[in-house]
Amino acid sequence: MKLLVVGGGGREHAIIKSLKKNPDVTEIFALPGNGGIAADATCVPIGATDIEKIVAFAVENSIDYAVVAPDDPLVLGCVDALEGKGIPCFGPRANAAIIEGSKVFSKNLMKKYGIPTAKYEVFDDMTAALEYLETAPIPTVIKADGLALGKGVIIANTRDEAKAAVRDMMEGHIFGKSGDHIVIEEFLTGPEVSVLSFTDGKVVKPMVSSMDHKRAGDNDTGLNTGGMGTVAPNPYYTPEVAQRCMEEIFLPTIAAMNAEGRAFKGCLYFGLMITPDGPKVIEYNCRFGDPETQVVLPLLESDLLTIMRSCTNGTLAETEVKFADKHACCVITASAGYPKSYKKGFALTMTEEAAAHTYVAGAKLENGKLLTSGGRVTGTTAVADTLPDAIREAYRIADGVQFENAYRRSDIGQRALQALK
Ligand code: AMP
Ligand code: GLY
């Protein structure tokens, strides 16, 4: 089978390494992939949002199955376009990807179907939003409607900060057009859990839970990033919490999307907060998380390609989705300065052991050598029987990843360890 994977980060590298385990796979093309992914797939310089070119490439190369991994091509209808040419795909169509593409859509969906989430109001008029903030409970959370490159969330600790955020979004357009509509919502507290799930639109099979570390600095300080490391499973996701999530959130969400005529097939990511009132949805993503994927897929014992195709074909109910009863830790090595400004173009070297455990997110190949090309450069994952061992191993192996200005958080997994105690 010839496969195509759209995307070019650490998540896509993890997906490709997992897909390669299936003996029927003869070739994998990554569009665009990256210098590190080139060790495991044929990288083709077509951007992940260049849908016309992606479709043309898939047709010309007789692709048997495509995996569309990032949010933006999904929201733009990449799956619809590929399916239109008869190419089966993993990933939701645009009408279902809107669950991530529009926060107004997802909040209204949850309200309509009684799915637990933070209380909220939607505004498309700045004066009304500012007036609402005169009496809204503080802290408050302000979210731009669109994808906003994953950055459109501001947590305001004072009324003035909240008003400034609204002005920045609606008048200053700091997140572009996605600031035309905003959501102002209740500030929730409690540990966060990421649950990625497979769904064929009928049944939903959650993957092992995970914990992201979103802030740039140790002890959750500094700016929000795409994620500086992950562990799986997440100790806050107890069997009782898992059962409540299934009954109160996962199944109702699948049913709600069906009732709206927007059946969701692919990976539905539930960003959850375990509040004193029970689990609530912070956000939905229409795709695998990054770097959650780098701890979840290494624990997957069943065959990824078989599961993905069953999501496409509607046969997930009969398909085994089994995870190892182990622990995984992924440590991101980033360019110092990320997520703000950082230097790139430095030589990236990895020991043989490090390369075997590392997913490359931001590097390019030049004259056969890897050079850093992004903020998040690599993710190094270790699997072990216990969480302390997984953390220790991930850090030990990540030491074999080297480049000038390399930066890692030193406390990935520590919060999970505290929770276990
Ligand atoms: P998002 O981009 O929606 O994942 O939001 C980024 C981060 O903001 C989340 O991971 C949470 O830590 C935080 N956040 C979002 N919404 C809320 C909320 N209603 N209450 C508290 N924290 C939130
Ligand atoms: N790591 C968070 C995300 O993928 O959205």
Side-chain angles (χ1 to χ4, degrees), residues 113-410:
Y113 293 92
I115 298 164
T117 188
K119 292 196 195 78
Y120 72 101
E121 299 286 338
V122 176
F123 296 95
D124 45 24
D125 173 65
M126 192 173 77
T127 314
L130 292 173
E131 200 176 294
Y132 171 78
L133 284 175
E134 293 292 346
T135 53
I138 297 293
T140 189
V141 183
I142 300 161
K143 300 186 173 183
D145 180 41
L147 284 178
L149 302 168
K151 293 179 301 194
V153 176
I154 292 177
I155 296 176
N157 289 308
T158 65
R159 228 169 272 290
D160 286 342
E161 249 177 76
K163 288 182 188 168
V166 164
R167 285 200 187 91
D168 286 348
M169 283 188 198
M170 302 192 87
E171 204 171 51
H173 296 286
I174 53 166
F175 301 127
K177 262 187 73 69
S178 54
D180 288 351
H181 310 278
I182 63 165
V183 173
I184 301 184
E185 71 177 33
E186 173 195 13
F187 177 74
L188 298 177
T189 55
E192 287 184 57
V193 179
S194 304
V195 179
L196 321 187
S197 69
F198 291 109
T199 173
D200 61 357
K202 296 183 281 186
V203 298
V204 54
K205 294 199 176 179
M207 301 180 217
V208 61
S209 62
S210 53
M211 181 190 283
D212 195 3
H213 297 68
K214 283 203 168 111
R215 302 293 203 91
D218 280 359
N219 302 312
D220 300 322
T221 54
L223 293 172
N224 251 318
T225 70
M228 294 300 294
T230 36
V231 294
N234 184 322
Y236 291 105
Y237 196 67
T238 60
E240 295 73 44
V241 170
Q243 192 180 340
R244 281 192 71 174
C245 288
M246 181 55 89
E247 287 165 9
E248 297 170 20
I249 295 173
F250 304 164
L251 293 172
T253 301
I254 300 300
M257 290 298 278
N258 281 327
E260 294 292 310
R262 298 173 182 273
F264 189 104
K265 292 182 177 195
C267 174
L268 183 53
Y269 167 136
F270 299 92
L272 305 168
M273 197 171 266
I274 315 304
T275 76
D277 300 330
K280 294 191 180 178
V281 177
I282 289 282
E283 62 162 349
Y284 293 113
N285 291 325
C286 65
R287 50 166 178 88
F288 282 94
D290 191 348
E292 285 87 342
T293 306
Q294 289 93 305
V295 283
V296 167
L297 291 185
L299 293 172
L300 180 65
E301 287 184 336
S302 315
D303 178 57
L304 178 62
L305 180 59
T306 306
I307 299 170
M308 286 183 157
R309 294 177 78 196
S310 79
C311 291
T312 310
N313 299 334
T315 54
L316 181 61
E318 302 97 78
T319 304
E320 182 196 66
V321 178
K322 191 166 174 283
F323 287 86
D325 191 12
K326 292 187 175 189
H327 295 261
C329 175
C330 172
V331 178
I332 298 292
T333 306
S335 304
Y338 170 75
K340 280 199 153 160
S341 62
Y342 49 84
K343 293 201 179 116
K344 48 195 186 181
F346 297 115
L348 162 65
T349 61
M350 290 183 267
T351 60
E352 203 172 310
E353 184 189 37
H357 286 80
T358 295
Y359 307 111
V360 177
K364 59 181 180 180
L365 267 178
E366 242 177 62
N367 303 321
K369 295 226 160 63
L370 284 172
L371 300 179
T372 63
S373 67
R376 289 189 293 180
V377 176
T378 55
T380 302
T381 299
V383 171
D385 287 334
T386 67
L387 180 60
D389 283 349
I391 296 169
R392 201 176 308 117
E393 275 295 281
Y395 274 100
R396 185 188 64 74
I397 300 170
D399 276 339
V401 175
Q402 298 211 326
F403 54 90
E404 209 178 307
N405 86 338
Y407 166 76
R408 289 188 263 277
R409 270 181 67 161
S410 68

